[in-house]
Amino acid sequence: MGLADSSQDLSTEMEVDAFRRIFPLRFFERHLSESLRPDGRQLGKARDTIVNLGLVSTADGSALAKIGSTTMLAAIRMEVMTPSTDSPDEGCIALEFHMPPICSPTVRPGRPADAAPVISKRLSDTILSSGMIDLKELCLVSGKAAWMGYLDIYCLDADGALFDAALLSAVAAFSNLQIPVVALNDNGRIVAITGGKDQDNASITEKEAVNKEKRKLTLKNIPFSLTCILHKNYILADPTTEEESIMDTLVTVVLDSSDQMVSFYKSGGTALAYSSAIKSCIELARKRAKELKQILGEMDID
Amino acid sequence: MEYVNPEGLRLDGRRFNEMRQIVAEVGVVSKADGSAVFEMGNTKVIAAVYGPREIQNKSQQKKNDHAVVLCEYSMAQFSTGDRRRQKFDRRSTELSLVIRQTMEACILTELMPHSQIDIFLQVLQGDGGTRSACINAATLALADAGIPMRDLAVSCSAGYLNSTPLLDLNYVEDSAGGADVTVGILPKLDKVSLLQMDAKLPMETFETVFALASEGCKAIAERIREVLQENTKQLEYRRAA
């Protein structure tokens, strides 16, 4: 009682910025009661999203995804390895999510951020279980050689909804991926063909090119995600870091391009959700998936 | 192998005293107090500065009369054409130390006692000269954060191959086995803050290569000044609006 009254009195005297810092929850609730957020967005609206491809020339496929200020750079490098005996026709994808200290004032050097390994695992699980990539396409010579794709995602700016931006950048990087051309030489080893010189062309007739030209992977069932915050009876889509720090119940829904649910994630939090709230989150995720499909479609990604 | 052909052109078509193309931008990381992206040809580096802020490691608090400067250099796993590297190898540790000492010489740390300034550098693409690109990016980021400095710290590298001094080596030229001289100077004060060389060079040749690198540094300083002035104009417009 006393606290509520004092903040009401102070709010008329205080500057907006000070009120935002000292009474963050009240600041947000004042906005939520008008169905708005401090940055002017509607409750169910996500921030502006941009995707750019092919930025890292040293990688076989790369993409930069920005949702609002949250920036993720994903890059894939392919290496040849021997497939395991129980799946001799399949390649492998190794995913790692990094949060270097540049991305946020809360990340200290020498100590990995708390969120990083969690997001890393969730991303790995989501991408593999969505069936977006057919591991058999990564096979070179059955039982002897297959591709191992190392996908590294670096967070360059952490402003909320890290999982969404990371998943988007991973998907875009896979669409940009061009598998290098290799040949099997006489020793039974795989060597890269850099292509173009006359000497190589002559020796190619001896070495059989294992894959004819640089090719892309076929992506089916692309996953799209949306993270929401549940607070009392409000649902806020695509939260910023400030919103995530004040209201702690996060829900992430991942749908694929055929509108099927790939994953649902709610790990505790003070707000317990009714099934109606869950359904609303899924509805918002469906709308967001359409938006994202359009954005990726504009960049010629199927 | 021929690094400079008889007409005086290098492998990528540059002349001996030509630098690679520079692209510099300030204010790229919204959460950082100051940030910058600096590209020299294919070498792309992103720098973020956090500070001055409270000292986070209590054991470093003994220096009370001036600010503590922390620097971390790391290369992204996909940044070079070679195999994936370990995250914190000896080279990264050495470079973190070298860059920290170069920037510490140029920041007015006495003005900010009991505080810490963090400089984080991430190499996104490495094609030779990452050390220089990092120092230039750190200078821009510190200026963007409004941290008082004596002068801009700029850096450039030069080498000596096929009996020719060459400015701004890329990765292929750097790994050729010739000399690699990295120079970091404070241009207005005309003082040398960083000087590193690996290889043997006769004294006169060294002086030529060093002079060439210093010329390169001055050109980079001009460019950095332009970027900062443009940035200030943009801030002015935004404030007026």
Side-chain angles (χ1 to χ4, degrees):
Chain A
M1 259 305 271
L3 197 60
D5 281 338
S6 63
S7 82
Q8 299 286 13
D9 290 339
L10 282 173
S11 67
T12 50
E13 301 164 10
M14 222 188 261
E15 266 190 355
V16 176
D17 281 334
F19 187 70
R20 187 176 190 158
R21 290 292 186 93
I22 304 176
F23 300 107
L25 200 52
R26 281 183 212 293
F27 179 79
F28 271 91
E29 283 180 350
R30 289 274 271 274
H31 286 79
L32 293 179
S33 55
E34 315 271 339
S35 295
L36 270 186
R37 289 143 90 170
D39 54 3
R41 281 190 286 158
Q42 298 283 330
L43 296 188
K45 190 135 179 21
R47 294 169 285 180
D48 290 337
T49 310
I50 303 172
V51 176
N52 269 327
L53 301 178
L55 297 165
V56 181
S57 51
T58 44
D60 299 310
S62 61
L64 178 86
K66 271 184 89 145
I67 299 185
S69 300
T70 301
T71 310
M72 299 278 169
L73 179 65
I76 308 179
R77 303 222 65 223
M78 306 294 278
E79 278 182 16
V80 183
M81 57 131 197
T82 7
S84 66
T85 39
D86 32 305
S87 43
D89 284 325
E90 289 183 355
C92 193
I93 307 270
L95 196 150
E96 216 182 317
F97 177 71
H98 307 257
M99 275 183 77
I102 44 172
C103 72
S104 163
T106 51
V107 178
R108 285 165 61 167
R111 231 191 125 169
D114 288 336
V118 176
I119 295 182
S120 196
K121 172 129 202 333
R122 283 169 59 196
L123 271 176
S124 206
D125 289 343
T126 304
I127 290 182
L128 290 176
S129 65
S130 68
M132 177 174 79
I133 296 172
D134 184 5
L135 293 177
K136 293 199 170 30
E137 278 193 355
L138 296 177
C139 178
L140 281 170
V141 178
S142 173
K144 293 220 189 97
W147 285 114
M148 170 81 139
Y150 289 103
L151 171 62
D152 289 292
I153 306 177
Y154 280 81
C155 180
L156 299 178
D157 199 341
D159 195 19
L162 299 181
F163 180 82
D164 297 346
L167 183 61
L168 187 61
S169 68
V171 165
F174 273 115
S175 73
N176 181 247
L177 175 65
Q178 290 205 309
I179 301 187
V181 186
V182 289
L184 196 59
N185 74 4
D186 307 319
N187 302 339
R189 293 256 217 91
I190 299 276
V191 287
I193 299 179
T194 42
K197 296 200 180 143
D198 288 0
Q199 309 138 334
D200 280 6
N201 277 335
S203 58
I204 276 176
T205 51
E206 298 159 21
K207 306 175 196 175
E208 192 194 297
V210 176
N211 42 3
K212 291 282 180 272
E213 56 191 5
K214 278 198 170 191
R215 63 181 170 91
K216 296 192 153 194
L217 291 178
T218 42
L219 303 176
K220 22 182 177 114
N221 306 331
I222 298 179
F224 299 109
S225 78
L226 179 66
T227 304
C228 302
I229 281 186
L230 299 180
H231 178 66
K232 295 192 183 157
N233 50 351
Y234 300 111
I235 300 179
L236 286 76
D238 188 23
T240 60
T241 309
E242 199 187 350
E243 291 167 353
E244 279 181 5
S245 63
I246 307 167
M247 299 170 270
D248 60 359
T249 310
L250 291 174
V251 168
T252 305
V253 181
V254 183
L255 301 172
D256 73 6
S257 33
S258 52
D259 259 0
Q260 285 188 306
M261 266 196 45
V262 175
S263 122
F264 189 91
Y265 184 85
K266 177 186 186 297
S267 63
T270 39
L272 303 171
Y274 284 107
S275 51
S276 53
I278 308 272
K279 289 207 182 93
S280 313
C281 287
I282 298 180
E283 228 359 85
L284 285 172
R286 199 171 280 145
K287 281 196 204 127
R288 176 70 172 156
K290 281 208 189 76
E291 271 172 38
L292 289 175
K293 221 187 287 190
Q294 203 189 8
I295 292 174
L296 291 182
E298 278 164 22
M299 318 199 58
D300 275 340
I301 301 171
D302 303 312
Chain B
M1 185 172 169
E2 197 184 63
Y3 293 99
V4 186
N5 73 11
E7 277 131 57
L9 294 178
R10 290 147 80 170
L11 293 169
D12 49 8
R14 287 185 285 154
R15 300 223 162 255
F16 78 98
N17 58 354
E18 266 178 62
M19 263 196 304
R20 292 174 288 180
Q21 192 188 31
I22 293 177
V23 178
E25 204 182 319
V26 181
V28 291
V29 176
S30 66
K31 287 260 160 270
D33 294 322
S35 59
V37 168
F38 197 85
E39 296 179 32
M40 287 167 86
N42 284 330
T43 299
K44 292 190 186 34
V45 163
I46 188 167
V49 166
Y50 288 95
R53 56 179 174 177
E54 193 188 334
I55 294 188
Q56 293 180 331
N57 191 352
K58 298 299 174 191
S59 65
Q60 285 178 323
Q61 230 165 3
K62 44 188 167 45
K63 294 187 198 147
N64 278 333
D65 55 345
H66 56 262
V68 173
V69 177
L70 220 109
C71 176
E72 192 186 81
Y73 167 98
S74 81
M75 296 189 84
Q77 305 278 20
F78 44 75
S79 56
T80 54
D82 298 340
R83 301 191 53 207
R84 294 155 58 81
R85 38 181 63 241
Q86 282 296 334
K87 201 174 173 201
F88 288 115
D89 52 351
R90 294 182 306 188
R91 181 176 170 272
S92 299
T93 317
E94 188 234 335
L95 281 174
S96 302
L97 180 74
V98 164
I99 297 174
R100 175 170 71 79
Q101 290 178 329
T102 309
M103 303 321 293
E104 222 171 351
C106 136
I107 299 176
L108 293 163
T109 48
E110 320 80 61
L111 294 182
M112 297 162 288
H114 310 286
S115 64
Q116 175 178 318
I117 299 174
D118 291 326
I119 307 173
F120 299 122
L121 301 153
Q122 184 79 31
V123 177
L124 300 175
Q125 241 181 246
D127 188 24
T130 55
R131 197 176 309 229
S132 303
C134 282
I135 291 175
N136 297 328
T139 301
L140 276 171
L142 286 166
D144 186 38
I147 290 180
M149 295 194 279
R150 284 193 179 83
D151 196 353
L152 303 173
V154 287
S155 166
C156 192
S157 67
Y160 192 72
L161 287 172
N162 291 144
S163 316
T164 329
L166 300 174
L167 180 61
D168 193 14
L169 306 172
N170 60 24
Y171 181 72
V172 178
E173 291 168 341
D174 200 354
S175 22
D180 172 22
V181 178
T182 307
V183 176
I185 63 173
L186 306 179
K188 278 261 160 70
L189 299 175
D190 208 14
K191 294 198 174 178
V192 176
S193 174
L194 165 73
L195 180 55
Q196 279 187 306
M197 182 178 99
D198 300 305
K200 288 199 293 194
L201 274 185
M203 275 307 299
E204 303 82 42
T205 322
F206 171 74
E207 283 177 24
T208 324
V209 174
F210 174 74
L212 187 60
S214 305
E215 282 303 308
C217 287
K218 296 213 172 78
I220 294 180
E222 272 314 302
R223 189 56 200 278
I224 287 185
R225 232 170 253 131
E226 275 169 36
V227 170
L228 288 173
Q229 279 169 347
E230 182 57 42
N231 185 50
T232 312
K233 266 192 222 141
Q234 292 292 326
L235 289 174
E236 258 184 292
Y237 291 151
R238 271 183 239 158
R239 213 176 69 155

